[in-house]
Amino acid sequence: MEKSRPGERLPSSREIMRRHGVSPVTVSRAIAQLAAEGRVVTRPGSGAFATSVRTPAAEAPDLSWQTVSLGDRVVDDSGVVSLLAQPPDGVIPLTGGYLNPQLRPVRELSAAAARAVRRPGSWAVPPLSGLPDLRRWFASEVGGTVTPNDVLVVSGGQSALTHAFRALAAPGEAVLVETPTYPGALAAAKAAGLRATAVPVDVDGVRPDLLAEAFALTGARVFLCQPTLHNPTGATLPLDRREQVLAVATAAGAFVIEDDYARYLARGPVPPPMVTLDRHGTVVHILSLSKITAPSLRVAGLIARGPAARRLRASQVVESFFVAGPLQETALEFVGSPGWRRHIRAVGHEVDVRQETLLTGLALHAPEAEVHLVPRGGLHVWLRLPPATDEAMLVEAARREGVLISPGRIYYPSEPPGPRLRLTHIAAVTLAELSEGVRRFGVALRGLHE
């Protein structure tokens, strides 16, 4: 059939049959197909007319099939993302878990990195368990009978938690956690297919009697514990409780994951790590450098013994091979320099001043928020809010006032006992900014109850 111009009438069916020697059925079907494609339009009593040929619009991507294919293994990062969120301009952060930019040892880290990349072989494949000198340093920091052979260098504390959960428990099993607890641990446990089961804490940390009961009821074989400056409550387990926790776990044939995230943020002496009290490989210990230095120094020591240590090493090799050599070299250069101890002392002084500023501001601007306890160091204060407080509405009201907070419910594996809030004093850049942030928080809190 000759090409017709838009609007031109097509030859009659009889003429088409004559020209091409086809049957009436074939002509009818051809015109119907052209009409379906939008190439012609038929007008009863007048015939068929050519139309403008339009390039069909590209089909919109349909990704809905992935929902079915992926199933229900959802990785919930909402709690972690809220703690990593950067505040918009003019908004004061009272949440987060890292030193603010002014407190980070950027100059010293930069100098350490410059020295590190000049080391021979820094860009080669490092030992899979970590640089020997860095493993030796982690072992000496933890103390006790820990040796360099017990240390695996991993990419930060969060990575250590992920490896530990996957290596020590099977999907579908229960893992015991303090309640409340660090949201990143809850997310990592869920991503590993584990069921986080709450064990209550008091002002001295986890209660060993309730821990024993939880082991008996759930059959769990893993307990995550932050014995020093527990996140978020700030509790520190006294020595006798550490010994009791270790005894309870040993009797249950279970592992204790000891997250020592706040070792360098404590003010005054703290009891020895549980791993130094452990003789039988019950404790898997995590010591990270990110909290005390900078968020991107993703280096931590993961300490374990026996078959658990071999499984943890295998987990890292399969997932990521090793921690980048230049990053390990940078960490080693920094912790071996005089600037390391100076930095710890400077941060300690800042923690004291900022905690006092936060507590003074709360007493003045938000007296209805009850402080759970005054931690001996750390970055946070845990608050009990008035019973009628809606956490979501408070977070939004605070945002409108120009202060960033996160809800207390993200710290619980199940329903929280009431409205709670963790406020951070280390994220604001200056003391004046911290004081103003607390004032704005008080305005938001009062506004909900007026």
Side-chain angles (χ1 to χ4, degrees), residues 6 8 13 20 22 39 53 58 75 83 100 103 157 173 204 214 241 290-291 315 326 341 349 359 361 363 403-404:
E8 184 178 353
S13 297
H20 299 283
V22 294
R39 296 175 180 271
V53 179
V75 178
L83 296 178
N100 72 64
L103 296 179
E173 292 183 350
D204 286 325
R241 280 208 186 180
S290 304
K291 296 291 186 188
S315 175
R341 291 296 167 187
H349 172 74
L359 294 172
V403 63
L404 185 65

Side-chain angles (χ1 to χ4, degrees), residues 216 259 394:
D259 182 7
L394 177 58

Side-chain angles (χ1 to χ4, degrees), residues 406-417:
S406 53
R409 57 178 169 74
I410 65 175
Y411 297 88
Y412 291 89
S414 55
E415 293 81 5

Side-chain angles (χ1 to χ4, degrees), residues 131-377:
L131 298 178
D133 286 347
L134 187 56
R135 295 167 65 196
R136 188 173 299 111
W137 181 84
F138 274 117
S140 66
E141 286 293 291
V142 175
T145 60
V146 174
T147 72
N149 288 334
D150 301 327
V151 179
L152 173 67
V153 178
V154 298
S155 298
Q158 186 67 25
S159 177
L161 287 172
T162 298
H163 285 307
F165 283 139
R166 287 199 312 222
L168 304 179
E173 292 183 350
V175 58
L176 304 184
V177 298
E178 298 154 313
T179 187
T181 194
Y182 166 52
L186 296 176
K190 185 175 181 180
L194 306 177
R195 295 178 291 108
T197 302
V199 183
V201 301
D202 58 21
V203 292
D204 286 325
V206 68
R207 290 180 49 184
D209 57 330
L210 297 181
L211 178 63
E213 183 178 339
F215 274 128
L217 289 175
T218 64
R221 291 293 178 265
V222 176
F223 168 53
L224 171 66
C225 183
Q226 292 179 322
T228 299
L229 294 169
H230 167 255
N231 181 12
T233 68
T236 293
L237 272 177
L239 178 58
D240 60 339
R241 280 208 186 180
R242 296 183 186 221
E243 293 171 335
Q244 292 171 45
V245 166
L246 187 56
V248 167
T250 301
F255 291 98
V256 174
I257 302 173
E258 182 181 26
D259 182 7
D260 201 10
Y261 85 98
R263 160 184 287 265
Y264 302 111
L265 299 166
R267 307 300 295 141
V270 295
M274 283 190 287
V275 70
T276 64
L277 309 174
D278 171 33
R279 297 176 52 206
H280 305 293
T282 297
V283 178
V284 173
H285 184 87
I286 300 170
L287 178 58
S288 173
L289 293 176
S290 304
K291 296 291 186 188
I292 188 62
T293 57
S296 284
L297 192 66
R298 308 301 301 164
V299 175
L302 180 56
I303 295 165
R305 297 163 177 158
R310 290 192 288 275
R311 185 173 291 188
L312 286 163
R313 286 176 171 82
S315 175
Q316 165 146 296
V317 169
V318 169
E319 180 179 277
S320 57
F321 296 166
F322 49 80
V323 176
L327 195 60
Q328 294 191 58
E329 297 278 12
T330 298
L332 185 58
E333 284 280 354
F334 180 53
V335 299
S337 71
W340 164 242
R341 291 296 167 187
R342 286 199 302 269
H343 173 66
I344 291 177
R345 289 193 295 271
V347 171
H349 172 74
E350 195 73 18
V351 165
D352 285 342
V353 174
R354 284 171 172 268
Q355 185 184 89
E356 182 179 355
T357 300
L358 175 60
L359 294 172
T360 299
L362 287 171
L364 182 62
H365 301 294
E368 59 271 55
E370 180 184 346
V371 176
H372 175 73
L373 62 86
V374 177
R376 298 193 298 273

